Amino acid sequence: MDFNSKFDIARTAEFIKNRGFHRVALQFPDELLKDSRRIVAALREELQSLSLCPPENLHEANLAQAFVQLYVMADTTYGNCCVDEVGASHVNAECVVHYGPTCLSPTSKLPAWFVFGKASINVKGCADSLFDCLSSSDKPILVIFGLEYEHAIGSVKEEMSLKSSALSGCRSKILYAEAKCSVMHPEKNSSTNSSSGQPEFVDCHDPCDSFEGCGSYSLGGLRWTLPHGGKMEDYLLFWIGPDNPAFGNIVLTYNACEIVRYDPMEDCLVKDKCHQKSILKRRYFLVEKAKDANIVGILVGTLGVGRFTHLSPSPRQI
């Protein structure tokens, strides 16, 4: 896959331009640090084409400050999935561009632009595996995925629409989760419709605010709504992605559901229930270990996640 397309270089530059930011923090997880220099170089080149970034030989401070300044953030204070507003404040950043997996927790002060990345996937192979599950199971299917595969879900839907005509009524048996948003702003919640051919950015204050209600669910940057009267236990969960912490979170949260996993790297369907049971057994072991502890330490910290002060209990609750 083209590097610039994989990391949304053009759309990121347009976001910075449209919002008028001059100090931008780029937050990378550990696994993407090896690509950070290439991403910065590509983003700087794109900004230069928009006359927003100074040439490499420009060192005059007064002139350079008129352009966009990029700052790389690594070694996140708490967790890679959250926006590190504390780290960004050290360079007086006006916004954060977050790369990699994210939980899309609301920010408290700074707007954030999320780049999930685009991992390679065999769309036809994925659709074939999904169709096999659909034809062999009497349960409806909920398709959930790692955010790095969000770019391919539309193609999977199209492929499935061609296959599903072979099974009567099967279209209503498939439900697809969706990513919450691409842009998060701490103060406003509105969709910015683009004009003049500019990209459209989806804004949200707290993604869960506009998605609450009976049958609505949100987990790991994804959201979905079940039909009226539907229960999660009634669905077979079809996970698209590797065996990683995000998948573990799905297994732990919906352990009463039947779960299968399509591995895009191996292009195969994995139905290893023993591995899922081992994840649950480990949680049970840690819970029992905590019960036997004589001394328990509680670490409280924040990256600046929105509404964190609302979690402070009153003296009576303690």
Side-chain angles (χ1 to χ4, degrees):
M1 186 179 296
D2 176 68
F3 184 86
N4 285 17
S5 174
K6 179 179 180 179
F7 291 105
D8 283 334
I9 299 298
R11 295 188 73 230
T12 302
E14 287 290 347
F15 165 73
I16 295 172
K17 174 185 176 182
N18 291 348
R19 303 303 175 94
F21 296 129
H22 289 89
R23 302 178 67 85
V24 180
L26 311 179
Q27 180 180 336
F28 293 93
D30 294 343
E31 62 270 20
L32 288 180
L33 281 179
K34 63 183 184 299
D35 297 317
S36 60
R37 293 187 65 181
R38 252 185 102 182
I39 292 174
V40 170
L43 185 56
R44 182 180 291 275
E45 182 178 350
E46 186 69 25
L47 290 171
Q48 285 177 353
S49 68
L50 299 174
S51 301
L52 296 176
C53 206
E56 294 293 338
N57 59 355
L58 181 63
H59 300 291
E60 291 83 353
N62 293 335
L63 292 177
Q65 288 177 359
F67 296 95
V68 175
Q69 306 295 310
L70 303 177
Y71 302 88
V72 173
M73 292 198 304
D75 191 19
T76 307
T77 309
Y78 179 65
N80 289 331
C81 62
C82 297
V83 175
D84 190 354
E85 292 188 274
V86 175
S89 66
H90 293 166
V91 293
N92 296 322
E94 298 170 335
C95 79
V96 176
V97 178
H98 183 285
Y99 290 88
T102 175
C103 58
L104 290 174
S105 297
T107 56
S108 61
K109 295 181 180 180
L110 296 178
W113 166 253
F114 296 94
V115 179
F116 306 137
K118 298 178 182 179
S120 299
I121 182 175
N122 181 358
V123 172
K124 186 178 183 304
C126 179
D128 288 342
S129 297
L130 180 55
F131 183 78
D132 289 343
C133 290
L134 184 64
S135 57
S136 61
S137 176
D138 57 353
K139 291 184 176 182
I141 296 178
L142 171 63
V143 179
I144 49 182
F145 47 87
L147 291 174
E148 65 271 29
Y149 299 100
E150 188 267 343
H151 67 98
I153 298 303
S155 299
V156 173
K157 288 183 181 180
E158 292 179 3
E159 190 71 22
M160 282 301 299
S161 65
L162 300 176
K163 294 176 175 293
S164 60
S165 58
L167 294 176
S168 59
C170 66
R171 290 186 180 181
S172 60
K173 293 181 63 178
I174 305 181
L175 180 66
Y176 296 88
E178 62 181 18
K180 292 178 182 175
C181 60
S182 297
V183 180
M184 190 172 294
H185 198 286
E187 296 178 351
K188 63 183 180 180
N189 181 7
S190 61
S191 294
T192 304
N193 294 324
S194 173
S195 59
S196 305
Q198 298 296 332
E200 181 176 334
F201 302 107
V202 180
D203 247 328
C204 59
H205 169 59
D206 184 343
C208 299
D209 280 353
S210 58
F211 210 75
E212 293 179 351
C214 182
S216 298
Y217 296 83
S218 176
L219 182 68
L222 299 177
R223 64 182 184 181
W224 62 91
T225 299
L226 302 185
H228 180 71
K231 299 180 181 179
M232 286 298 300
E233 294 79 8
D234 300 333
Y235 281 77
L236 182 150
L237 306 188
F238 186 92
W239 169 262
I240 301 175
D243 180 10
N244 57 10
F247 175 67
N249 193 22
I250 293 292
V251 173
L252 292 174
T253 305
Y254 301 112
N255 54 77
C257 299
E258 181 182 355
I259 304 175
V260 298
R261 181 174 68 87
Y262 172 75
D263 191 331
M265 298 185 68
E266 300 294 334
D267 192 17
C268 65
L269 190 65
V270 181
K271 299 181 179 181
D272 186 4
K273 293 185 179 180
C274 292
H275 176 65
Q276 297 177 24
K277 289 181 180 179
S278 68
I279 296 175
L280 296 174
K281 287 180 179 179
R282 174 169 174 77
R283 179 179 68 170
Y284 178 77
F285 165 76
L286 294 175
V287 169
E288 292 300 315
K289 188 175 181 180
K291 287 181 180 179
D292 296 334
N294 294 320
I295 300 176
V296 177
I298 301 177
L299 177 63
V300 180
T302 177
L303 297 176
V305 176
R307 301 181 182 177
F308 70 93
T309 55
H310 293 258
L311 297 178
S312 302
S314 64
R316 290 185 179 180
Q317 291 176 316
I318 294 177

